[in-house]
Structures are given as structure tokens and as C-alpha cells.
Amino acid sequence: MRPELPPTAGLPIAWADFFARPARPFTEGLGSWLDLPDPLPASSGTAALTVALQTLRHRLPERREVIIPAYTCPLVALAVGSVPGLRLLACDLLPRSIDLDPDKLEALCTERTLAVVPTHLGGRVADVEAARRIAARSGALVIEDAAQALGALAHGRSVGLNGDIGFFSLAAGKGLTTYEGGLLFSRRSDLRADLAARAAATLRPRPLLSLRRVLELLGYAFFYTPARLWYVYGRQLRLALKAGDELAAVGDVFSPADIRLHSLDGLRLRVAANALERLPGYLDQGRIRAAGRLALLRGLDGVVALTDKSGFSGIWPFFMLILPDKEARDRVLRQLWPAGVGVSKLFARALPDYDFLASFARNPLDCPQARALADRMLTVTNTHWLDDETFSLILDQIRRSL
Ligand SMILES: *Cc1c(COP(=O)(O)O)cnc(C)c1O
């Protein structure tokens, strides 16, 4: 057994976070840091999205289609599938980008479109403005999926505030965590009232489930360190890789039963409120680390590291690297995925290629760029535990695999 680095830069939770009286309540602290009006806590990012979809479904009952990126978290597709009457359309991305392809989006957007979901994948800031322009032409709304981007800014403003509705995830591995949790918000006061009413009706307390999450969060506080992560992450990862079960290795296997709608308990909100005090500084350190390492990653010929366009300042849980072809990517992963150095895959497949989603996606499965990401992308952690020496070993291995 050896040190195991996490694949993302999650903020460690301290024991004191469970006990100390926070300087201010979580939603208040978050609201004032990011200038979010009245963010609503939820049991998960998926739950936040589900409440958003239910709310819009009710407001615009004649619109039934939701357009999401063809490369994203499968839970997003399950959330759409969980709202009766809604249908999912997967939209391809631009080449080597997390942005929806405007031409394809244009072709998919009609008077049937309820919402478009541009996604700030991996902390990068997506082009919400372009999606909004296209959506607006057909009267559709925009939900920004900022699950992986809490703290990311677009022109100095938090992501999630450019579209009609935004949400963050507080799942383990996504920066600030309550083990499972999410936040729903909107810059539009008319929508906020509806969202709050819907959330109050849908997200009821589930004491036993919350107790389980509290115990899981205690486990996270204890195990989330390189000396212990092997027990709860590295061991299963290697077993899955050995068995050739890539979906289990990524943690991409979900079913509709994984969508649990309930409220976030007070104890975990307290932990989040305390941890939040450290988050801005932690994210800034991550940005500094990322800037230095991106300069080195640029030296890899033929490898594209995804970055932000000017005016955008994302967060850096990990680097998304696109290799020249699938073979080179797989050579790197064969060496480094089981090595415990924080090299991984984001999502195993393009959405339409998950068997358990086949019945949801209705459009012709034309998504070559999403498939290219699934085939050619790998992630390198930006955790503060990754030292320069290990990072240059990773660089060497990638160079040799090209
Ligand atoms: C994780 C994730 C979600 C869902 O968030 P949960 O809190 O895990 O339910 C949605 N979208 C993206 C892009 C994600 O990475």
C-alpha cells in the first residue's frame, strides 16, 4: 500500500468543522462571497437540477425537450428522465471544447425546447452567452450546470448567473463537499420564488438518509488524505481496473434510484459553512498551481490542455488533457491510472453510449466530438498533495506515450 492522490482537488474537511460555530450560515456566506441571491440547499446537484426542471416544466407545460451536452455526468440525463413528460436531447460539443456546438444546438432548439444546459465541466467556464442567444430565439431557458465549478467566474461574476438558473454540486470530489449536496440559484427574482416553493415542497427532511450522509462525511474527513485514501478509493479503483470494468473505475454507474430528493441537514450545513471560510484561499492556491503546471503541459507536443477564454477565470480541480488519439491516451492510462498519482478519466463515455441511458436519448446519436473527448481525454489532478516531482513523472510518462 502506498500514498494515493485524489483525482480532484477537494478541500479537506477538518474535525473542527463539525463542532465550531460558523461565522455565518452557509447560504449567507456563499451568497455574499459569490453574490448569489438566496441560494437554496439541496440533497445533491442532481436534486437541484431536478427541482429546476420541475419548476420550468410547470411554468412552460407545452415544452418538453431538454438539451444537454453529449459529454457530461450521466446523472444529468437521469435527472431529465426523472421528470415526467420530459425528453432528453444530447447536443455535440465543439472540437476540443466543453462548449455546445452552436450549429448543432441551433438545429435542436425548437418551440418544443424547455431548457438548454451549458456545462462548466471540470471547473472550466463554458460559453453560456452563445447558448443563451440560441435558446432565446426559440423561447427556451438556460440552466447552467456548474456542478464542477463552484468558485469559477465569468467576467468577474459567478458562473450560474448568466443563464436563467444555475446549480452547484457539493458531492465528494467536487471542491467543497457535504459528501452529497447541491445548491440551486437564479438571478431572476420571478424564478427564485418558484424555485423556493418547489424546493420546499420537494426537498423534505429524510433523517435516516441525512444521518448516513453525516457518517459518510465523517469518513471523508478521516480518509481524505494520501495516507488513507487507498482504503476507500484506491483499492476499489484497482479492483475495477483489473476486472476491466471501466464504468466502475470512473464511478459512472448510476440508476434512477440514485436520485434522492431531500433537504440538507443542519449539521452538514454547519460543516460547509466552516469549510467555506477556507475555500476562496484554497481555490486561489489551486489557480496559482495550475498556471505553473499549464506552462509545463504546453510543452507536450500534440496534447491540448483545456483552458479558459479571456475574461473567464475558472477553478482547477484537475487538468483536462486531450491526446492525439485514443491509443496514446490509453497507453498513459494503463501506466498512470492504477499508479495512485491522480490521473484518471472524467466520464467513461459519450452519453448516448451508456447502455443505461439508451432509452432516454431520443435524437440521432451524432456526437463525434463528445466521443472524441471520451476516447482521447484524461485528467491530471490539481490537488495540493501532488508535488512537483510526481507531476514531472506524469509529464514524462505522457511524453513517452505520444
Ligand atoms: C457531479 C455532476 C452533477 C451531479 O451532481 P451530484 O451532486 O453528484 O448529484 C451534474 N453535472 C455535472 C457536470 C457533474 O459533474
Side-chain angles (χ1 to χ4, degrees):
M1 205 242 322
R2 57 190 146 179
E4 178 86 33
L5 297 182
T8 70
L11 178 73
I13 297 292
W15 297 119
D17 295 339
F18 287 86
F19 306 108
R21 207 183 143 79
R24 50 204 171 162
F26 177 58
T27 48
E28 187 186 314
L30 188 80
S32 68
W33 170 40
L34 295 176
D35 214 4
L36 302 182
D38 303 324
L40 301 162
S43 46
S44 66
T46 309
L49 172 60
T50 304
V51 169
L53 292 169
Q54 288 174 346
T55 304
L56 297 186
R57 173 97 185 90
H58 196 75
R59 281 173 81 107
L60 301 165
E62 71 287 0
R63 292 172 175 265
R64 287 166 171 267
E65 295 179 350
V66 178
I67 302 175
I68 71 174
Y71 185 80
T72 189
C73 178
L75 284 167
V76 175
L78 290 178
V80 177
S82 78
V83 179
L86 289 188
R87 297 197 313 178
L88 178 79
L89 298 181
C91 180
D92 204 11
L93 306 171
L94 287 171
R96 294 171 296 283
S97 168
I98 60 162
D99 289 326
L100 297 168
D101 180 327
D103 293 333
K104 300 229 167 153
L105 182 58
E106 183 103 52
L108 290 173
C109 263
T110 66
E111 74 286 348
R112 294 185 299 277
T113 311
L114 178 65
V116 177
V117 187
T119 300
H120 304 288
L121 213 55
R124 308 280 47 77
V125 180
D127 187 352
V128 174
E129 202 44 53
R132 206 163 68 132
R133 269 197 308 274
I134 296 168
R137 269 179 233 146
S138 64
L141 299 186
V142 167
I143 302 175
E144 282 182 61
D145 179 345
Q148 301 190 1
L150 171 57
L153 305 174
H155 302 294
R157 224 158 61 124
S158 170
V159 292
L161 290 174
N162 197 11
D164 299 285
I165 297 176
F167 71 95
F168 296 127
S169 166
L170 304 175
K174 302 212 189 176
L176 180 65
T177 188
T178 51
Y179 202 79
E180 290 282 9
L183 286 155
L184 178 62
F185 55 96
S186 170
R187 69 184 159 84
R188 289 177 44 178
S189 54
D190 60 325
L191 277 175
R192 275 207 298 283
D194 270 14
L195 290 170
R198 179 69 54 177
T202 309
L203 306 175
R204 313 295 305 165
R206 294 274 305 271
L208 281 180
L209 204 46
S210 282
L211 175 63
R212 176 173 147 195
R213 298 293 184 231
V214 167
L215 295 175
E216 286 169 329
L217 187 59
L218 282 162
Y220 175 95
F222 181 73
F223 282 105
Y224 194 75
T225 173
R228 300 191 185 123
L229 203 54
W230 181 85
Y231 294 99
V232 290
Y233 170 72
R235 191 162 58 109
Q236 288 93 319
L237 170 66
R238 279 173 197 71
L239 287 175
L241 289 176
K242 212 169 264 172
D245 188 346
E246 189 184 68
L247 295 187
V250 177
D252 255 2
V253 199
F254 300 105
S255 78
D258 292 315
I259 302 184
R260 295 195 170 94
L261 306 176
H262 59 99
S263 61
L264 205 55
D265 54 276
L267 178 51
R268 285 186 300 147
L269 283 170
R270 164 191 286 227
V271 172
N274 285 318
L276 180 66
E277 299 292 317
R278 301 188 297 277
L279 186 65
Y282 185 75
L283 294 179
D284 283 341
Q285 286 165 13
R287 286 186 173 105
I288 293 168
R289 236 176 5 252
R293 290 184 173 169
L294 279 170
L296 300 172
L297 288 166
R298 268 185 215 110
L300 294 172
D301 259 346
V303 175
V304 174
L306 296 186
T307 56
D308 292 323
K309 293 191 204 74
S310 89
F312 294 165
S313 173
I315 58 164
W316 293 91
F318 45 78
F319 302 98
M320 294 187 279
L321 305 185
I322 302 173
L323 273 74
D325 52 55
K326 178 169 172 31
E327 291 67 37
R329 196 280 307 265
D330 288 345
R331 278 195 294 276
V332 179
L333 285 183
R334 259 196 303 281
Q335 298 296 323
L336 295 184
W337 204 356
V341 294
V343 170
S344 184
K345 230 186 231 192
L346 188 48
F347 306 119
R349 301 188 181 161
L351 272 192
D353 298 332
Y354 290 100
D355 294 338
F356 65 98
L357 291 181
S359 58
F360 293 136
R362 301 291 175 94
N363 56 321
L365 311 179
D366 167 31
C367 53
Q369 299 306 334
R371 287 193 172 121
L373 285 187
D375 283 347
R376 290 164 45 196
M377 190 161 88
L378 59 83
T379 59
V380 177
T381 186
N382 189 38
T383 175
H384 59 286
W385 286 308
L386 175 63
D387 57 29
D388 289 341
E389 194 188 331
T390 311
F391 185 74
S392 52
L393 289 177
I394 293 172
L395 283 181
D396 286 344
Q397 187 63 52
I398 295 176
R399 210 173 279 121
R400 274 201 297 277
S401 305
L402 291 174

PDB file of all heavy atoms in Angstrom, residues 192-213:
ATOM      1  N   ARG A 192     -36.881  32.715  -8.799  1.00  0.00           N
ATOM      2  CA  ARG A 192     -36.442  32.366  -7.443  1.00  0.00           C
ATOM      3  C   ARG A 192     -37.616  31.978  -6.559  1.00  0.00           C
ATOM      4  O   ARG A 192     -37.551  31.007  -5.812  1.00  0.00           O
ATOM      5  CB  ARG A 192     -35.698  33.535  -6.804  1.00  0.00           C
ATOM      6  CG  ARG A 192     -34.243  33.592  -7.164  1.00  0.00           C
ATOM      7  CD  ARG A 192     -33.430  34.260  -6.090  1.00  0.00           C
ATOM      8  NE  ARG A 192     -33.780  35.648  -5.832  1.00  0.00           N
ATOM      9  CZ  ARG A 192     -33.425  36.680  -6.591  1.00  0.00           C
ATOM     10  NH1 ARG A 192     -32.711  36.481  -7.679  1.00  0.00           N
ATOM     11  NH2 ARG A 192     -33.769  37.895  -6.269  1.00  0.00           N
ATOM     12  N   ALA A 193     -38.686  32.739  -6.659  1.00  0.00           N
ATOM     13  CA  ALA A 193     -39.850  32.441  -5.823  1.00  0.00           C
ATOM     14  C   ALA A 193     -40.399  31.055  -6.165  1.00  0.00           C
ATOM     15  O   ALA A 193     -40.703  30.253  -5.272  1.00  0.00           O
ATOM     16  CB  ALA A 193     -40.914  33.518  -6.029  1.00  0.00           C
ATOM     17  N   ASP A 194     -40.502  30.760  -7.455  1.00  0.00           N
ATOM     18  CA  ASP A 194     -40.992  29.441  -7.894  1.00  0.00           C
ATOM     19  C   ASP A 194     -40.065  28.321  -7.448  1.00  0.00           C
ATOM     20  O   ASP A 194     -40.508  27.263  -7.006  1.00  0.00           O
ATOM     21  CB  ASP A 194     -41.061  29.397  -9.427  1.00  0.00           C
ATOM     22  CG  ASP A 194     -42.409  29.867  -9.927  1.00  0.00           C
ATOM     23  OD1 ASP A 194     -43.146  30.459  -9.119  1.00  0.00           O
ATOM     24  OD2 ASP A 194     -42.709  29.636 -11.116  1.00  0.00           O
ATOM     25  N   LEU A 195     -38.755  28.546  -7.615  1.00  0.00           N
ATOM     26  CA  LEU A 195     -37.777  27.518  -7.239  1.00  0.00           C
ATOM     27  C   LEU A 195     -37.846  27.244  -5.739  1.00  0.00           C
ATOM     28  O   LEU A 195     -37.803  26.092  -5.313  1.00  0.00           O
ATOM     29  CB  LEU A 195     -36.357  27.966  -7.615  1.00  0.00           C
ATOM     30  CG  LEU A 195     -36.023  28.009  -9.112  1.00  0.00           C
ATOM     31  CD1 LEU A 195     -34.677  28.701  -9.343  1.00  0.00           C
ATOM     32  CD2 LEU A 195     -36.009  26.619  -9.730  1.00  0.00           C
ATOM     33  N   ALA A 196     -37.963  28.322  -4.956  1.00  0.00           N
ATOM     34  CA  ALA A 196     -38.001  28.155  -3.500  1.00  0.00           C
ATOM     35  C   ALA A 196     -39.251  27.372  -3.095  1.00  0.00           C
ATOM     36  O   ALA A 196     -39.193  26.481  -2.242  1.00  0.00           O
ATOM     37  CB  ALA A 196     -37.965  29.517  -2.812  1.00  0.00           C
ATOM     38  N   ALA A 197     -40.383  27.681  -3.724  1.00  0.00           N
ATOM     39  CA  ALA A 197     -41.618  26.971  -3.386  1.00  0.00           C
ATOM     40  C   ALA A 197     -41.510  25.503  -3.773  1.00  0.00           C
ATOM     41  O   ALA A 197     -41.873  24.606  -2.999  1.00  0.00           O
ATOM     42  CB  ALA A 197     -42.801  27.633  -4.102  1.00  0.00           C
ATOM     43  N   ARG A 198     -40.977  25.254  -4.955  1.00  0.00           N
ATOM     44  CA  ARG A 198     -40.826  23.885  -5.434  1.00  0.00           C
ATOM     45  C   ARG A 198     -39.845  23.109  -4.543  1.00  0.00           C
ATOM     46  O   ARG A 198     -40.080  21.960  -4.188  1.00  0.00           O
ATOM     47  CB  ARG A 198     -40.345  23.928  -6.888  1.00  0.00           C
ATOM     48  CG  ARG A 198     -40.101  22.613  -7.544  1.00  0.00           C
ATOM     49  CD  ARG A 198     -41.341  21.806  -7.816  1.00  0.00           C
ATOM     50  NE  ARG A 198     -42.367  22.499  -8.575  1.00  0.00           N
ATOM     51  CZ  ARG A 198     -43.510  21.942  -8.969  1.00  0.00           C
ATOM     52  NH1 ARG A 198     -43.748  20.669  -8.706  1.00  0.00           N
ATOM     53  NH2 ARG A 198     -44.401  22.644  -9.630  1.00  0.00           N
ATOM     54  N   ALA A 199     -38.732  23.769  -4.184  1.00  0.00           N
ATOM     55  CA  ALA A 199     -37.737  23.110  -3.329  1.00  0.00           C
ATOM     56  C   ALA A 199     -38.340  22.775  -1.970  1.00  0.00           C
ATOM     57  O   ALA A 199     -38.145  21.681  -1.444  1.00  0.00           O
ATOM     58  CB  ALA A 199     -36.503  24.001  -3.170  1.00  0.00           C
ATOM     59  N   ALA A 200     -39.111  23.699  -1.421  1.00  0.00           N
ATOM     60  CA  ALA A 200     -39.711  23.460  -0.101  1.00  0.00           C
ATOM     61  C   ALA A 200     -40.658  22.265  -0.169  1.00  0.00           C
ATOM     62  O   ALA A 200     -40.744  21.472   0.774  1.00  0.00           O
ATOM     63  CB  ALA A 200     -40.442  24.715   0.380  1.00  0.00           C
ATOM     64  N   ALA A 201     -41.362  22.122  -1.290  1.00  0.00           N
ATOM     65  CA  ALA A 201     -42.322  21.023  -1.415  1.00  0.00           C
ATOM     66  C   ALA A 201     -41.625  19.694  -1.709  1.00  0.00           C
ATOM     67  O   ALA A 201     -42.076  18.638  -1.278  1.00  0.00           O
ATOM     68  CB  ALA A 201     -43.338  21.348  -2.516  1.00  0.00           C
ATOM     69  N   THR A 202     -40.536  19.738  -2.458  1.00  0.00           N
ATOM     70  CA  THR A 202     -39.891  18.510  -2.950  1.00  0.00           C
ATOM     71  C   THR A 202     -38.789  18.010  -2.023  1.00  0.00           C
ATOM     72  O   THR A 202     -38.587  16.809  -1.880  1.00  0.00           O
ATOM     73  CB  THR A 202     -39.273  18.769  -4.348  1.00  0.00           C
ATOM     74  OG1 THR A 202     -40.272  19.364  -5.182  1.00  0.00           O
ATOM     75  CG2 THR A 202     -38.793  17.479  -4.984  1.00  0.00           C
ATOM     76  N   LEU A 203     -38.034  18.945  -1.431  1.00  0.00           N
ATOM     77  CA  LEU A 203     -36.852  18.556  -0.660  1.00  0.00           C
ATOM     78  C   LEU A 203     -37.194  18.537   0.827  1.00  0.00           C
ATOM     79  O   LEU A 203     -36.918  19.479   1.565  1.00  0.00           O
ATOM     80  CB  LEU A 203     -35.696  19.518  -0.954  1.00  0.00           C
ATOM     81  CG  LEU A 203     -35.349  19.681  -2.447  1.00  0.00           C
ATOM     82  CD1 LEU A 203     -34.277  20.737  -2.645  1.00  0.00           C
ATOM     83  CD2 LEU A 203     -34.910  18.353  -3.056  1.00  0.00           C
ATOM     84  N   ARG A 204     -37.849  17.452   1.247  1.00  0.00           N
ATOM     85  CA  ARG A 204     -38.256  17.296   2.646  1.00  0.00           C
ATOM     86  C   ARG A 204     -37.141  16.617   3.435  1.00  0.00           C
ATOM     87  O   ARG A 204     -36.305  15.928   2.859  1.00  0.00           O
ATOM     88  CB  ARG A 204     -39.532  16.439   2.732  1.00  0.00           C
ATOM     89  CG  ARG A 204     -40.636  16.831   1.767  1.00  0.00           C
ATOM     90  CD  ARG A 204     -41.189  18.198   2.043  1.00  0.00           C
ATOM     91  NE  ARG A 204     -41.649  18.321   3.428  1.00  0.00           N
ATOM     92  CZ  ARG A 204     -41.907  19.473   4.030  1.00  0.00           C
ATOM     93  NH1 ARG A 204     -41.737  20.607   3.381  1.00  0.00           N
ATOM     94  NH2 ARG A 204     -42.327  19.481   5.281  1.00  0.00           N
ATOM     95  N   PRO A 205     -37.149  16.788   4.757  1.00  0.00           N
ATOM     96  CA  PRO A 205     -36.121  16.101   5.564  1.00  0.00           C
ATOM     97  C   PRO A 205     -36.223  14.577   5.427  1.00  0.00           C
ATOM     98  O   PRO A 205     -37.323  14.039   5.364  1.00  0.00           O
ATOM     99  CB  PRO A 205     -36.453  16.535   6.996  1.00  0.00           C
ATOM    100  CG  PRO A 205     -37.285  17.768   6.858  1.00  0.00           C
ATOM    101  CD  PRO A 205     -38.021  17.635   5.567  1.00  0.00           C
ATOM    102  N   ARG A 206     -35.099  13.916   5.353  1.00  0.00           N
ATOM    103  CA  ARG A 206     -35.031  12.444   5.385  1.00  0.00           C
ATOM    104  C   ARG A 206     -33.986  12.104   6.438  1.00  0.00           C
ATOM    105  O   ARG A 206     -32.818  11.903   6.126  1.00  0.00           O
ATOM    106  CB  ARG A 206     -34.587  11.882   4.033  1.00  0.00           C
ATOM    107  CG  ARG A 206     -35.546  12.093   2.865  1.00  0.00           C
ATOM    108  CD  ARG A 206     -36.611  10.999   2.780  1.00  0.00           C
ATOM    109  NE  ARG A 206     -36.065   9.650   2.714  1.00  0.00           N
ATOM    110  CZ  ARG A 206     -35.743   9.019   1.581  1.00  0.00           C
ATOM    111  NH1 ARG A 206     -35.886   9.605   0.421  1.00  0.00           N
ATOM    112  NH2 ARG A 206     -35.258   7.791   1.629  1.00  0.00           N
ATOM    113  N   PRO A 207     -34.391  12.050   7.713  1.00  0.00           N
ATOM    114  CA  PRO A 207     -33.417  11.960   8.817  1.00  0.00           C
ATOM    115  C   PRO A 207     -32.440  10.792   8.705  1.00  0.00           C
ATOM    116  O   PRO A 207     -31.258  10.961   8.953  1.00  0.00           O
ATOM    117  CB  PRO A 207     -34.306  11.822  10.063  1.00  0.00           C
ATOM    118  CG  PRO A 207     -35.626  12.387   9.656  1.00  0.00           C
ATOM    119  CD  PRO A 207     -35.780  12.124   8.191  1.00  0.00           C
ATOM    120  N   LEU A 208     -32.928   9.611   8.296  1.00  0.00           N
ATOM    121  CA  LEU A 208     -32.021   8.467   8.244  1.00  0.00           C
ATOM    122  C   LEU A 208     -30.988   8.623   7.142  1.00  0.00           C
ATOM    123  O   LEU A 208     -29.809   8.312   7.311  1.00  0.00           O
ATOM    124  CB  LEU A 208     -32.813   7.171   8.049  1.00  0.00           C
ATOM    125  CG  LEU A 208     -33.470   6.649   9.322  1.00  0.00           C
ATOM    126  CD1 LEU A 208     -34.242   5.362   9.042  1.00  0.00           C
ATOM    127  CD2 LEU A 208     -32.430   6.411  10.416  1.00  0.00           C
ATOM    128  N   LEU A 209     -31.455   9.125   6.012  1.00  0.00           N
ATOM    129  CA  LEU A 209     -30.538   9.348   4.899  1.00  0.00           C
ATOM    130  C   LEU A 209     -29.509  10.415   5.280  1.00  0.00           C
ATOM    131  O   LEU A 209     -28.316  10.308   4.983  1.00  0.00           O
ATOM    132  CB  LEU A 209     -31.349   9.779   3.666  1.00  0.00           C
ATOM    133  CG  LEU A 209     -30.752   9.538   2.294  1.00  0.00           C
ATOM    134  CD1 LEU A 209     -30.168   8.140   2.183  1.00  0.00           C
ATOM    135  CD2 LEU A 209     -31.825   9.743   1.234  1.00  0.00           C
ATOM    136  N   SER A 210     -29.968  11.450   5.961  1.00  0.00           N
ATOM    137  CA  SER A 210     -29.053  12.502   6.393  1.00  0.00           C
ATOM    138  C   SER A 210     -28.042  11.970   7.399  1.00  0.00           C
ATOM    139  O   SER A 210     -26.860  12.316   7.342  1.00  0.00           O
ATOM    140  CB  SER A 210     -29.826  13.670   7.013  1.00  0.00           C
ATOM    141  OG  SER A 210     -30.389  14.449   5.981  1.00  0.00           O
ATOM    142  N   LEU A 211     -28.511  11.105   8.297  1.00  0.00           N
ATOM    143  CA  LEU A 211     -27.589  10.512   9.272  1.00  0.00           C
ATOM    144  C   LEU A 211     -26.501   9.735   8.535  1.00  0.00           C
ATOM    145  O   LEU A 211     -25.311   9.840   8.850  1.00  0.00           O
ATOM    146  CB  LEU A 211     -28.350   9.596  10.239  1.00  0.00           C
ATOM    147  CG  LEU A 211     -27.470   8.822  11.232  1.00  0.00           C
ATOM    148  CD1 LEU A 211     -26.733   9.793  12.152  1.00  0.00           C
ATOM    149  CD2 LEU A 211     -28.302   7.840  12.053  1.00  0.00           C
ATOM    150  N   ARG A 212     -26.930   8.967   7.543  1.00  0.00           N
ATOM    151  CA  ARG A 212     -25.947   8.217   6.751  1.00  0.00           C
ATOM    152  C   ARG A 212     -24.942   9.156   6.090  1.00  0.00           C
ATOM    153  O   ARG A 212     -23.738   8.920   6.102  1.00  0.00           O
ATOM    154  CB  ARG A 212     -26.694   7.397   5.698  1.00  0.00           C
ATOM    155  CG  ARG A 212     -25.767   6.664   4.777  1.00  0.00           C
ATOM    156  CD  ARG A 212     -26.551   5.730   3.862  1.00  0.00           C
ATOM    157  NE  ARG A 212     -25.880   5.647   2.568  1.00  0.00           N
ATOM    158  CZ  ARG A 212     -26.442   5.162   1.468  1.00  0.00           C
ATOM    159  NH1 ARG A 212     -27.701   4.745   1.497  1.00  0.00           N
ATOM    160  NH2 ARG A 212     -25.767   5.110   0.355  1.00  0.00           N
ATOM    161  N   ARG A 213     -25.423  10.268   5.543  1.00  0.00           N
ATOM    162  CA  ARG A 213     -24.518  11.225   4.885  1.00  0.00           C
ATOM    163  C   ARG A 213     -23.565  11.871   5.890  1.00  0.00           C
ATOM    164  O   ARG A 213     -22.416  12.159   5.563  1.00  0.00           O
ATOM    165  CB  ARG A 213     -25.321  12.314   4.169  1.00  0.00           C
ATOM    166  CG  ARG A 213     -26.214  11.810   3.051  1.00  0.00           C
ATOM    167  CD  ARG A 213     -25.424  11.255   1.884  1.00  0.00           C
ATOM    168  NE  ARG A 213     -26.296  10.875   0.798  1.00  0.00           N
ATOM    169  CZ  ARG A 213     -26.269   9.689   0.176  1.00  0.00           C
ATOM    170  NH1 ARG A 213     -25.387   8.776   0.531  1.00  0.00           N
ATOM    171  NH2 ARG A 213     -27.104   9.435  -0.801  1.00  0.00           N
TER     172      ARG A 213
END
